[in-house]
Amino acid sequence: MSDSSLPALPAADRPEIAARLREALLGASFTVDGLLELLGAPAYAALARSETVPALRATRGDTRLEMLVRLFLLQQPVPHARVADVLPVEACLESGWLVRAGRDEVAATVDVRPYGGLDGEDWFIVSDLGCAVGGAGGIGSREEGVVLGVGGASTTLAGITVRTPVGSALDLGTGSGIQALHAGRHATRVTATDVNPRALHITALTLALSGPPAADLRQGSLFEPLRDDETYDLIVSNPPFVISPGARLTYRDGGMGGDDLCRTLVQQSGERLNEGGFAQFLANWQHVEGEDWQDRLRSWVPRGCDAWIVQREVQDVTQYAELWLRDAGDHRGDPAEYQVRYDAWLEEFEARKVKAVGFGWITLRRTGSAVPSITVEEWPHPVEQPLGETVRAHFARLDYLREHDDAALLDGFFRLAPEIVQEQVGLPGAEDPEHVVLRQNRGMRRATTVDTVAAGFAGVCDGTLSAGRILDAIAQLVGEDPVLLRDRTPAQIRHLVEQGFLEPSD
């Protein structure tokens, strides 16, 4: 179905009306905090699951905020006279934010969802009716060309993105504009692209309703809208990464075979990065029979880039097909058609010898190093968002380790990272533990098993003594040859630094 069958959108060239609407929404506490206070945690969480009944029950009163929730989130018609007390109703009708519904009511033309920025900003994400996570209608049956709002993937990418000040940022496949909105707070210049013109229109609405700055919006696939010489300090993308037969739904299906879209995006991004710049993506990748999935991903990394690739989840092909068939609402339609579509997914996977599909994060950093570092790992465990600083620090530690051989490492100074705890496992009453585990309570929340020397070393690191002097003291304490201890310990120090348990302080 084409975009022409979708409802008309508000005018994107009326920033003065968007500013008045924003002021009115904030004045009525139509914010994340305001919704949480009004609805309560259970009803607010239910909205994120696309369940609207608890929110409907919580908004049966006549306050300004209740009316706005019914209008913009639950997509219920509300009395014209009541709206006029809260919003610039005639301007909203004239510019298309609202339409008349019956004789005495008005209705919203788009879903408007309050969204909190990483620094506490009160923003608003615009999307098509019924397509915002937290909006009425939820998953439902979706049409080609619709633009979704804030979902788990959007917030995940926003959380892992490195937020250092940069000159230029590119949001590739902007959708409703959430990544461009974040980038605008730390990038001097933001470019946002999408193959779907409706998405660019909605991004313009999101940016206008959330306040300046704006972005340079361009239509096209992948890097096509860019000039040949354009490069960026930051590239982010939550692409249509779903591996599906065909490209039925623009917002999720890449339209290339298998995981070719994600591979192409990663491979082409290297030449678009400035030195030291980051490119960060969410992606799906195939687990192919007879092929190591980690080697597959390593082959994607462009020359001249460090990479950190984290697989967060793996689904077998049946689970994967069922997930995305439900996402499109196919399970609610004709059972025979559902079976045909399900079979088409499995046929496609069988033809490509795909046994499972992985999901995760890909971060690239343009580096001048002659030997780039590529880390591919599986980490399905809970993490602490936001992780942008954790990602930045990971690559900074790579630089440090690359620049320091073992001798320089022993001359270096280190600090134990914040909120590291030590766990000891062994038989009750035993003199020495069988295992010593260091565990992070922040960031990636890693855990690693170390020997008693490494545990003692880490515990002493406070930035005042060099690693070599600490090891000499430990050798004297345990009665070990200090030369042998210096020879065998740098590998453990490197591991602790690389994993973020120790931080260089020199």
Side-chain angles (χ1 to χ4, degrees):
M1 194 174 293
S2 66
D3 285 4
S4 61
S5 67
L6 296 169
L9 295 171
D13 58 351
R14 302 294 300 274
E16 74 284 358
I17 295 179
R20 290 174 61 193
L21 177 55
R22 170 181 170 79
E23 184 179 353
L25 295 176
L26 293 175
S29 297
F30 189 66
T31 62
V32 171
D33 291 341
L35 290 187
L36 188 58
E37 182 177 351
L38 170 67
L39 302 177
Y44 188 77
L47 278 180
R49 301 191 301 269
S50 304
E51 297 292 348
T52 59
V53 172
L56 285 167
R57 290 177 58 84
T59 56
R60 290 178 292 190
D62 194 39
T63 67
R64 296 188 303 166
L65 182 54
E66 287 170 304
M67 184 272 297
L68 291 176
V69 171
R70 290 197 300 271
L71 181 66
F72 286 117
L73 280 182
L74 304 177
Q75 282 121 48
Q76 303 291 309
V78 297
H80 180 285
R82 187 71 186 96
V83 177
D85 292 337
V86 185
L87 303 178
V89 64
E90 297 306 322
C92 288
L93 285 166
E94 184 264 332
S95 60
W97 288 95
L98 302 175
V99 292
R100 296 189 183 275
R103 243 171 57 179
D104 302 318
E105 293 183 315
V106 296
T109 58
V110 288
D111 187 300
V112 177
R113 175 179 172 85
Y115 176 77
L118 298 175
D119 294 321
E121 302 94 339
D122 286 317
W123 291 335
F124 300 97
I125 308 298
V126 180
S127 64
D128 272 310
L129 295 175
C131 288
V133 176
I139 294 175
S141 179
R142 292 175 175 166
E143 300 175 346
E144 179 185 350
V146 298
V147 179
L148 274 61
V150 182
S154 301
T155 55
T156 294
L157 180 58
I160 68 173
T161 300
V162 176
R163 296 296 173 194
T164 53
V166 294
S168 57
L170 171 65
D171 176 14
L172 195 152
T174 188
S176 61
I178 178 175
Q179 309 305 331
L181 189 57
H182 278 287
R185 296 315 189 260
H186 65 104
T188 303
R189 174 175 61 90
V190 177
T191 303
T193 70
D194 205 291
V195 71
N196 182 4
R198 190 175 182 88
L200 295 175
H201 191 134
I202 284 182
T203 291
L205 296 175
T206 290
L207 296 175
L209 196 58
S210 297
D216 178 9
L217 306 181
R218 306 184 197 177
Q219 184 182 352
S221 176
L222 296 177
F223 296 98
E224 289 176 1
L226 306 185
R227 298 189 308 271
D228 290 343
D229 61 345
E230 277 189 273
T231 56
Y232 292 84
D233 301 310
L234 174 67
I235 299 172
V236 293
S237 183
N238 176 18
F241 54 65
V242 176
I243 300 170
S244 62
R248 185 160 60 102
L249 298 174
T250 305
Y251 71 86
R252 68 165 203 195
D253 300 327
M256 296 185 184
D259 51 17
D260 283 354
L261 182 134
C262 291
R263 175 185 56 79
T264 301
L265 175 61
V266 173
Q267 289 180 335
Q268 293 183 357
S269 63
E271 62 189 24
R272 294 292 184 173
L273 279 177
N274 293 326
E275 190 71 21
F278 287 92
Q280 298 186 262
F281 316 107
L282 302 186
N284 275 181
W285 43 79
Q286 298 173 150
H287 286 228
V288 180
E289 292 181 13
E291 181 180 342
D292 186 292
W293 69 270
Q294 294 181 325
D295 289 342
R296 181 183 188 85
L297 290 174
R298 288 189 185 95
S299 73
W300 291 8
V301 178
R303 181 174 300 178
C305 289
D306 290 333
W308 184 19
I309 302 174
V310 182
Q311 180 168 273
R312 295 287 289 157
E313 184 179 359
V314 182
Q315 291 184 319
D316 67 48
V317 292
T318 59
Q319 292 173 312
Y320 189 80
E322 291 162 12
L323 169 67
W324 294 109
L325 288 167
R326 287 194 302 271
D327 170 83
D330 292 329
H331 62 304
R332 298 178 180 176
D334 179 17
E337 186 174 348
Y338 173 81
Q339 291 181 8
V340 169
R341 285 181 171 165
Y342 195 153
D343 186 68
W345 284 67
L346 297 186
E347 185 75 19
E348 178 84 3
F349 285 133
E350 183 177 344
R352 295 180 177 276
K353 297 183 179 180
V354 177
K355 57 184 179 180
V357 177
F359 167 81
W361 320 325
I362 298 177
T363 299
L364 307 177
R365 186 192 58 164
R366 189 79 185 175
T367 176
S369 173
V371 184
S373 169
I374 300 176
T375 300
V376 184
E377 63 176 321
E378 187 165 16
W379 190 257
H381 312 294
V383 298
E384 182 191 46
Q385 286 275 33
L387 279 168
E389 176 57 23
T390 298
V391 174
R392 186 208 61 78
H394 168 86
F395 287 93
R397 292 194 304 271
L398 286 183
D399 285 343
Y400 179 89
L401 292 174
R402 241 190 318 238
E403 295 164 1
H404 290 72
D405 60 16
D406 286 356
L409 204 66
L410 292 175
D411 288 336
F413 294 76
F414 302 93
R415 291 182 183 275
L416 188 66
E419 297 196 36
I420 303 294
V421 297
Q422 177 176 305
E423 301 171 359
Q424 297 187 173
V425 181
L427 294 174
E431 184 175 347
D432 295 315
E434 294 180 12
H435 302 288
V436 178
V437 176
L438 300 182
R439 188 178 302 277
Q440 300 169 350
N441 284 325
R442 302 292 300 275
M444 292 294 287
R445 294 180 174 168
R446 297 186 185 277
T448 188
T449 301
V450 295
D451 62 21
T452 53
V453 169
F457 176 87
V460 174
C461 284
D462 61 2
T464 60
L465 294 175
S466 69
R469 289 189 62 187
I470 293 174
L471 290 179
D472 290 344
I474 292 175
Q476 185 176 8
L477 184 65
V478 300
E480 188 169 342
D481 185 332
V483 175
L484 294 178
L485 193 61
R486 279 174 170 255
D487 284 344
R488 70 177 178 86
T489 306
Q492 292 190 71
I493 297 175
R494 286 186 181 278
H495 174 75
L496 291 175
V497 171
E498 181 182 358
Q499 296 290 300
F501 292 91
L502 294 177
E503 299 174 346
S505 61
D506 53 337

